[in-house]
Amino acid sequence: MRSLLALISCASILSASSAFAETRVFIIANQANGYGVDQCLAKGEKCGAQVARTYCQSRDFAQASAYRRVDPDEITGSVPKSGANCSQGHCDEYVAITCQR
């Protein structure tokens, strides 16, 4: 009976600690820099994993759990589709990087 009680106590402690894990999604401009990194992030390819992890670590998060291209319509408050974000009909693309502590 004691071992069952101890097991239940340990399980509740472990589940409580995972509940405190912080997750945050960063939306960043996906600017073509000639290195192809922007395409790795936008397409969710494996080559973007290091960039996403480094981005998260630079903001004091432990890891990147996901990264993908984001349509401007998905962003709350929406990004303008003309003006400062567009030049000669080409608008900036955006990437969402999900970071966890």
Side-chain angles (χ1 to χ4, degrees), residues 64-83:
S65 60
Y67 51 95
R68 66 178 180 89
R69 184 185 155 296
V70 177
D71 188 71
D73 292 334
E74 292 181 65
I75 302 170
T76 304
S78 192
V79 178
K81 293 185 179 179
S82 62

Side-chain angles (χ1 to χ4, degrees), residues 8-90:
I8 291 172
S9 296
C10 289
S12 66
I13 290 171
L14 288 175
S15 65
S17 65
S18 66
F20 293 115
E22 183 182 354
T23 299
R24 184 167 175 192
V25 178
F26 293 92
I27 307 293
I28 59 172
N30 183 32
Q31 300 169 339
N33 58 11
Y35 294 104
V37 171
D38 56 318
Q39 292 303 312
C40 290
L41 286 169
K43 292 180 181 177
E45 294 180 6
K46 189 176 179 179
C47 56
Q50 177 63 40
V51 176
R53 184 172 60 248
T54 301
Y55 185 88
C56 291
Q57 289 173 346
S58 72
R59 280 145 184 81
D60 297 326
F61 285 83
Q63 64 182 354
S65 60
Y67 51 95
R68 66 178 180 89
R69 184 185 155 296
V70 177
D71 188 71
D73 292 334
E74 292 181 65
I75 302 170
T76 304
S78 192
V79 178
K81 293 185 179 179
S82 62
N85 292 343
C86 298
S87 62
Q88 300 175 347
H90 182 267

